[in-house]
Amino acid sequence: MNISQKPCSDVLSLFAHRLPKRNTCGQQKTEAVAWLEHKGLPDKRVEQWRYTDLRALGRVPYKTALRTYNPYHAEKLLHTLPQWGEILANLPRFVVVNGYFDPVLSQIPQTFTLTTCPFENVSGNGGKGEDLKGIQQPFMALNTALAEEEIFLHVQEGVKVGQVLMVSLTLGDEQPVSLHPRYTLKLDKGAHLSLLSIYAGDGIYCHNPVEQIEIAEHATLKHLTLFQESAQASVLKMVQARVAGRGVYESFILTLGGLLTRHDINVVLAQTGAVAKVNGVQYLSDEQTGDITSVICHEASECISRQTIRNVLSDHARGVFQGKILVKRGAQKTDGCQMSQALLLSEHAEVNVKPELEIYADDVRCSHGATIGALDEEQLFYLRSRGIAEHEARHMLIEAFLSDSLSLLEEEGVVRALCHAVLTRSLDLREEQQS
Amino acid sequence: MSSFLEISNLCAQIKAEGQEKHILRGVTLNIPAGEVHVIMGPNGSGKTTLSYILAGRDAYEVTSGHVTFRGQDLLAMKPENRAASGLFLAFQNPIELPGVNNAHFLRMAVNAVRRQRGQEELDAVAFLKQARKVLETLSMAPDVLKRAVNVGFSGGEKKRNEVLQMTLLQPSLAILDETDSGLDVDAMRVVAEGVNRLRSPKFSALVITHHQKLLDYLVPDRVHVMTKGQIILSGGPELAREIDQKGYAPFVKGA
Ligand SMILES: Nc1ncnc2c1ncn2[C@@H]1O[C@H](COP(=O)(O)OP(=O)(O)OP(=O)(O)O)[C@@H](O)[C@H]1O
Ligand SMILES: [Mg+2]
């Protein structure tokens, strides 16, 4: 981590009153607290945080999100999810409310196990949580310091689970709350899981989840994450995935809600032939910021990584994609590819793209590219010359750009249909607001 | 019905590399209802520019002159309203629309125009039925409906897709900008027949072409020659044949 990182007491002060005292908690928490007290939370002077301003977190200290909540409130929110009645309610699911697993709202199939435990016990609990091997990222540290519960999902060798829904609901209060859940997903050899995560909520809150993912040989995790958080929410999410030989980690991020969404993804391709796909779409308006920052580390030979991030930005929205491909010595025949495509719908919208290649092997194929543009005038004119009104023509072209990105989603029909519906709905909503 | 399309003294320019470039330098042209007129002229003389301005592309600045179409001030209208009033432009280079399904596009267009003309919209089934019928007359494969608009279409397929749109939108004035270029003989006949089928006392066409061949199938009422942003000469169908034999040089000199 950058040595010049200075403590930014402003932002850390929003959480400081809740940090446990060192050595009165477990070792991990003690280390995390020490890290935070030493380095603080980053401001824009820190390279990795240049484009994303944490001052969006506000000025009022965050209270703890409560385990006890109003069940009607949760039910009501659940029913506002897109296509809840048509598709989602029929999928096997686990529901997390305010960062805690909710057995009542969940319907867990027999094909995998889901267990929870207080986070402090993790180290003494059969080694469920991977050791962090030194914290490197501020929101990993914050999560570790403040996490209360760990949720552990395990798919055993050779089991093909199919489509599972994960819903995270945050029931905001008048006072800002924060939640710091810890997830561990473990897929044994040859296992297969398609996970659809939906993050939703209302009110003001800061959501700081950490996902630790272990994918064994020949196992596949397809993970689609849909951020539909409240308009006043901040998300600071960290994913750490480790993929073994010929394993596949396929992630697709769809960011629509939230005032600030920062999604850090670190993937380690640890053994020969591992594959990572990190694709996503950020469709943002107003003052929203969406930031996808990834580090794909090719540690072994013949691994493949693919990243395509699309930003569609209107009003004063800002989209960020910082993607790094790190090829370690000996990771020969690496095939890494990164692409950023942005559609700017207003002159005030902004996209920041920072690709980074760091390569220590000689026989590799790595590339990156970026396109930025407004709606194409010729395309607009073509549509209008066919009688289609200007706003409708714009709508068609934005929809085309958005739905085109769904072709990256190698998913079964329901999920793709859902995404399509979600995108179309938010396109309609935003147009309504404008007119 | 003399004033169907009346272009008088139209001048237009474009800003390119910080400089004003005059492209049209006083175009005057009348097309009565029911007639097919042809414009020929050397490359770069302003034919496409004229067709774009008539269709409403705002990249060009009209500096003087005016255009009335069916008694209305055409230049004051939005492109979509021009289409609804019956103007159709078949593009010299049809635009690709990645991610936009062709059938969806065609139906949006047809219904947008129908709505503005006070006609009932077509539902998906009725539309497809009609579209398939037209596809057959144009000898087009039905799978073009499933593809993205013009994406990966061959040159000829793009041109036919323009004729498909024209037929579905039922214009009263079709401007065909080199729709015959790059077509094989059979395709050229298909295009000509596409226009001939629309011919009626209420339909006019402005056909931009470099080839006399098309005019064997699509016999025009008048032929105009454009050079350097002006119509310098007009005549009957025989003018096209003369140009085909002698080139533009003798006519340009006389101007
Ligand atoms: N967008 C533009 N920017 C700069 N110059 C332009 C632009 N559009 C047209 N022109 C210029 O205006 C002139 C007329 O072009 P236009 O396309 O109208 O010719 P044309 O008669 O259709 O030619 P062709 O037979 O080759 O199709 C040309 O010199 C062309 O370069
Ligand atoms: Mg031309």
Side-chain angles (χ1 to χ4, degrees), chain B residues 14-16 21 23 41-50 59-60 92 177-178 210 226:
Chain B
I14 194 161
K15 236 196 172 107
K21 184 170 174 183
I23 304 177
N43 295 130
S45 54
K47 305 181 296 295
T48 294
T49 303
L50 175 66
Y60 303 92
Q92 181 174 3
D177 190 357
E178 297 197 31
H210 289 296
M226 183 185 248

Side-chain angles (χ1 to χ4, degrees), chain A residues 379 382 384 386-387 390, chain B residues 80 89 96 108 116 162 165:
Chain A
Q379 294 181 341
Y382 191 60
R384 294 180 70 188
R386 270 41 177 160
E390 185 178 3
Chain B
E80 53 268 39
L89 168 64
E96 299 185 2
M108 291 290 286
Q116 294 179 75
E162 296 291 288
Q165 292 166 46

Side-chain angles (χ1 to χ4, degrees), chain A residues 241-351:
Chain A
R242 199 177 168 80
V243 189
R246 315 248 167 248
V248 177
Y249 173 59
E250 202 178 299
S251 158
F252 192 98
I253 302 153
L254 189 50
T255 308
L256 301 169
L259 181 62
L260 166 74
T261 305
R262 161 89 174 208
H263 198 127
D264 270 87
I265 303 190
N266 291 359
V267 184
V268 176
L269 299 171
Q271 292 173 352
T272 305
V275 177
K277 293 185 189 170
V278 176
N279 297 320
V281 176
Q282 306 190 103
Y283 181 28
L284 308 172
S285 59
D286 299 321
E287 305 282 333
Q288 286 184 290
T289 298
D291 175 341
I292 294 173
T293 295
S294 67
V295 180
I296 312 278
C297 177
H298 287 253
E299 283 190 349
S301 60
E302 293 169 48
C303 294
I304 299 171
S305 65
R306 293 277 178 276
Q307 302 176 76
T308 299
I309 304 297
R310 283 194 166 188
N311 279 290
V312 180
L313 309 169
S314 50
D315 306 326
H316 286 83
R318 174 200 289 268
V320 180
F321 175 37
Q322 310 184 91
K324 176 169 174 174
I325 303 176
L326 171 61
V327 182
K328 293 262 179 92
R329 187 166 290 123
Q332 301 298 6
K333 305 241 181 299
T334 284
D335 180 357
C337 181
Q338 196 185 88
M339 189 68 202
S340 164
Q341 295 165 327
L343 181 56
L344 300 184
L345 301 175
S346 118
E347 53 187 307
H348 304 294
E350 192 177 321
V351 65

Side-chain angles (χ1 to χ4, degrees), chain A residues 43 56 75-76 95 181 194 196 206 298 318 326 334 369 383 426 435:
Chain A
D43 62 25
E75 278 278 356
K76 214 175 100 194
V95 178
S194 286
L196 163 62
C206 170
H298 287 253
R318 174 200 289 268
L326 171 61
T334 284
L383 288 167
S426 51
S435 55

